[in-house]
């Protein structure tokens, strides 16, 4: 079956929603409505034996009564009915399915038995499916939102998650910032399609520039390692792994019926594969965003430019704590800056442009520091309402140094400037600590890519 059936999951030409409902508050209605409103261009077939029309679409009593082929099916019916639906789908030739319904392995032995029955039917007919007990899939590049909430902004970030809420949070942040996602999948119980299958697909997906993952366990450790090693040669993988403590591992078992395993083993595997581990949902989003959009640095020497003295000190501490080098300006650079900056500016690292800094002051500073041989990364902190900051960053972005913008304390001006940077494909971060964490992750991934390159040459 290969990746073809996974492709049918994200890029179907036709979709059936089994359990489509006329009641607006029911999941079967919400998903159908989201597919319609996301702008899906293919055929949509609501399935409900007790309705004739929903949202202006003709409703069919069963999958078998649909007159055309069905590529993908979303199932939102009670668990006990799912095996019959899967059998019918198999006879119809459906390639892929999303089983939203809960009541399977996550509930205990009886649910596990029912889940095994579904798997057996799927394998009999060659159907690949996500779930059960999941929140669906999304591909804004194809107008497909077989999930909730409705997310329509297409972009470069992919999210694979064993938690629907984590996936939804990631998507919402990406949409609010105007960056968007390439693909989302909430895996649920992973009875068939696993994170490894999705990784393999996303590794070949031209719309995906970085892959974020929330996992509670890995289904097939050896295969995960092999696939991740191949994918990280082309694009970064960032992982938030839960179940790191004894109590967390017990919670994992009750959530999706998985066994969490020892975290130190995961960390060793991640390091070998070039996967970047993170510690929070916030960091998962930040690092995925940063690694998708930021140019790779040539080293770990960081210069901090700021209008906020406190933010500069925090950044300095955090950079040192995370193993980055807070560099010194070259003497020629410092000399040039003292000529063009007001005398009260502090020309060292952090380079403090003070609270009355303007976009022009940042511009004359960046113009000089991007030529400094001692600098690889410029953490550029706008700590006040500074109009036109986006134009300054854009002017010097990817011009030999890795510029990482941070914007805070700027009120309405900040919000406008951040939105403009994101619209230009420039990631900006809301605190010094979050910016520095991204810098560290970006440098780690750059080291990995360099190791891969050296191995290929040897």
């Amino acid at each position: 079956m290969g990746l073809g059936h996974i492709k049918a999951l994200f890029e179907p030409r036709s979709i059936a929603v089994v359990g489509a409902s006329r009641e607006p508050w029911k999941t079967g209605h919400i998903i159908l409505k989201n597919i319609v409103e996301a702008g899906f261009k293919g055929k949509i077939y609501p399935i409900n034996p007790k309705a004739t029309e929903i949202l202006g679409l003709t409703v069919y009593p069963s999958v078998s009564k649909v007159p055309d082929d069905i590529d993908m099916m979303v199932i939102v019916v009670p668990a006990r009915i799912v095996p019959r639906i899967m059998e019918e789908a198999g006879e119809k030739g459906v390639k892929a399915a999303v089983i939203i319904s809960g009541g399977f392995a996550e509930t205990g032995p009886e649910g596990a038995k029912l889940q095994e029955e579904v798997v057996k039917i799927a394998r009999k007919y060659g159907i690949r499916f996500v779930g059960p007990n999941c929140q669906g899939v999304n591909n804004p590049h194809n107008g497909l939102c077989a999930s909730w909430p409705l997310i329509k902004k297409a972009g470069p970030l992919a999210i694979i998650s064993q938690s629907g809420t984590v996936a939804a949070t990631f998507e919402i942040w990406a949409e609010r910032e105007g960056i968007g996602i390439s693909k989302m999948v909430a895996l649920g119980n992973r009875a068939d399609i696993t994170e490894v299958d999705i990784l393999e697909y996303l590794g070949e997906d031209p719309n995906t520039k970085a892959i974020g993952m929330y996992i509670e366990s890995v289904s097939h450790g050896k295969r995960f390692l092999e696939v991740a090693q191949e994918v990280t040669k082309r694009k970064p993988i960032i992982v938030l792994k839960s179940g790191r403590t004894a109590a967390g591992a017990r919670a994992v078992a009750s959530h999706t019926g998985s066994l969490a395993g020892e975290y130190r083993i995961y960390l060793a595997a991640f390091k070998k594969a070039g996967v970047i581990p993170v510690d929070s949902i916030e960091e998962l989003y930040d690092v995925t965003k940063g690694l998708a959009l930021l140019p790779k640095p040539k080293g770990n020497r960081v210069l901090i430019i700021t209008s906020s003295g406190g933010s500069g000190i925090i950044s300095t501490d955090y950079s040192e704590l995370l193993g980055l080098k807070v560099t010194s300006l070259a003497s020629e650079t410092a000399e040039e800056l003292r000529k063009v900056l007001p005398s009260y500016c502090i020309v060292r690292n952090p380079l403090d442009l003070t609270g009355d800094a303007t976009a022009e002051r940042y511009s004359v500073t960046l113009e000089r520091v991007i030529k400094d041989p001692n600098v690889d990364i410029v953490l550029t902190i706008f700590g006040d309402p500074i109009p036109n900051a986006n134009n300054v960053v854009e002017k010097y972005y990817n011009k030999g140094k890795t510029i990482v913008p941070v914007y805070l304390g700027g009120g309405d001006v900040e919000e406008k400037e951040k939105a403009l940077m994101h619209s230009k494909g420039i990631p900006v971060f809301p605190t010094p600590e979050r910016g520095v964490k991204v810098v560290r992750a970006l440098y780690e991934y750059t080291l990995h890519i360099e190791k891969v390159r050296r191995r290929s040459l040897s």
Side-chain angles (χ1 to χ4, degrees):
M1 289 178 281
L3 294 179
H5 284 50
I6 306 293
K7 186 175 181 179
L9 185 72
F10 289 106
E11 305 168 52
R13 293 164 298 179
S14 56
I15 302 173
V17 180
V18 183
S21 174
R22 291 169 292 191
E23 309 297 342
W25 59 88
K26 289 191 174 180
T27 303
H29 183 92
I30 292 167
I31 288 180
L32 179 64
K33 187 169 183 282
N34 285 351
I35 292 170
V36 171
E37 293 190 355
F40 182 68
K41 298 295 190 296
K43 295 179 180 179
I44 306 170
Y45 304 107
I47 310 296
N48 184 332
K50 298 178 182 178
T52 56
E53 184 181 293
I54 302 175
L55 297 174
L57 296 168
T58 300
V59 178
Y60 296 87
S62 66
V63 170
S64 62
K65 298 298 183 183
V66 174
D68 304 308
D69 292 339
I70 299 170
D71 281 345
M72 195 265 270
M73 177 175 67
V74 183
I75 301 175
V76 198
V77 298
R80 68 181 185 280
I81 303 172
V82 172
R84 176 171 61 81
I85 300 298
M86 290 292 284
E87 188 78 41
E88 194 176 351
E91 292 173 356
K92 180 68 177 174
V94 174
K95 298 182 182 72
V98 176
I99 304 176
I100 304 290
S101 315
F104 292 90
E106 80 281 3
T107 63
E110 286 302 311
K113 187 176 178 182
L114 190 60
Q115 184 167 301
E116 287 172 12
E117 186 180 351
V118 171
V119 171
K120 185 176 178 181
I121 295 166
R123 288 180 180 159
K124 172 183 172 183
Y125 291 104
I127 302 171
R128 299 304 309 271
F129 71 90
V130 168
N133 180 37
C134 76
Q135 201 163 316
V137 300
N138 194 359
N139 175 10
H141 291 275
N142 196 38
L144 170 65
C145 185
S147 179
W148 66 95
L150 175 61
I151 299 292
K152 297 169 66 174
K153 177 64 179 174
L157 314 183
I159 175 67
I160 304 169
S161 179
Q162 280 183 257
S163 161
T165 299
V166 171
T169 300
F170 188 105
E171 288 186 292
I172 290 166
W173 288 344
E175 181 154 86
R176 283 180 181 169
E177 291 199 319
I179 292 171
I181 65 157
S182 58
K183 306 289 183 295
M184 181 283 288
V185 56
L187 293 167
N189 292 4
R190 302 177 302 171
D192 177 43
I193 290 175
T194 70
E195 66 287 339
V196 185
D197 298 311
I198 304 296
L199 263 185
E200 199 168 21
Y201 167 79
L202 292 175
E204 303 296 330
D205 177 35
N207 294 319
T208 297
K209 304 303 178 191
I211 303 164
M213 300 179 68
Y214 165 74
I215 57 173
E216 296 167 359
S217 65
V218 168
S219 304
H220 308 288
K222 184 179 178 183
R223 184 166 168 246
F224 173 85
L225 193 60
E226 291 170 352
V227 171
Q229 282 177 321
E230 285 304 309
V231 172
T232 56
K233 292 175 183 177
R234 302 186 296 279
K235 56 190 75 173
I237 300 171
I238 301 91
V239 174
L240 172 59
K241 167 71 174 70
S242 64
R244 292 183 275 180
T245 65
R250 289 193 296 271
V252 164
S254 64
H255 180 214
T256 54
S258 303
L259 296 175
E262 287 192 45
Y263 187 54
R264 62 182 179 81
I265 297 173
Y266 280 93
L267 283 179
F270 294 160
K271 185 175 181 180
K272 184 174 182 180
V275 170
I276 304 295
V278 294
D279 295 324
S280 68
I281 302 172
E282 188 178 77
E283 192 180 350
L284 175 66
Y285 174 70
D286 285 346
V287 174
T288 306
K289 176 177 85 170
L291 269 60
L293 299 172
L294 288 166
K296 295 180 184 66
K298 295 175 181 175
N300 70 340
R301 298 170 301 173
V302 179
L303 173 69
I304 299 156
I305 303 175
T306 182
S307 66
S308 160
S311 296
I313 296 165
I314 291 167
S315 302
T316 302
D317 278 343
Y318 219 63
S319 296
E320 290 278 344
L321 288 168
L322 294 184
L324 299 166
K325 180 176 175 56
V326 179
T327 191
S328 298
L329 288 165
S331 57
E332 316 87 75
T333 308
E335 187 178 334
E336 282 188 46
L337 286 170
R338 288 190 182 98
K339 291 177 183 176
V340 296
L341 294 175
S343 59
Y344 51 82
C345 290
I346 301 169
V347 182
R348 56 173 182 261
N349 194 6
L351 205 167
D352 191 350
L353 301 181
T354 71
D356 66 347
T358 61
E360 177 59 26
R361 193 176 295 174
Y362 275 89
S363 185
V364 298
T365 303
L366 283 167
E367 182 182 359
R368 285 151 181 84
V369 302
I370 64 166
K371 301 171 186 173
D372 192 314
N374 292 354
V375 177
D376 300 309
I377 301 159
V378 186
L379 189 71
T380 309
I381 303 171
F382 300 95
D384 298 277
I386 300 173
N388 297 316
N390 76 92
N391 290 325
V392 173
V393 174
E394 182 184 25
K395 183 177 180 180
Y396 300 105
Y397 195 72
N398 205 11
K399 296 289 175 63
K401 308 293 182 189
T402 301
I403 296 176
V404 182
V406 171
Y407 212 132
L408 70 165
D412 291 342
V413 173
E414 172 190 336
E415 293 308 310
K416 179 183 176 183
E417 292 298 316
K418 284 163 70 174
L420 286 167
M421 283 193 225
H422 285 142
S423 73
K424 296 173 179 180
I426 300 170
V428 54
F429 304 94
T431 68
E433 299 95 328
R434 289 170 69 172
V436 172
K437 280 188 174 181
V438 172
V439 169
R440 194 270 304 270
L442 183 65
Y443 177 62
E444 286 180 355
Y445 182 63
T446 303
L447 287 178
H448 170 70
I449 291 297
E450 182 56 28
K451 286 178 185 175
V452 169
R453 189 190 68 82
R454 285 200 301 267
R455 280 200 298 266
S456 69
L457 296 173
S458 61

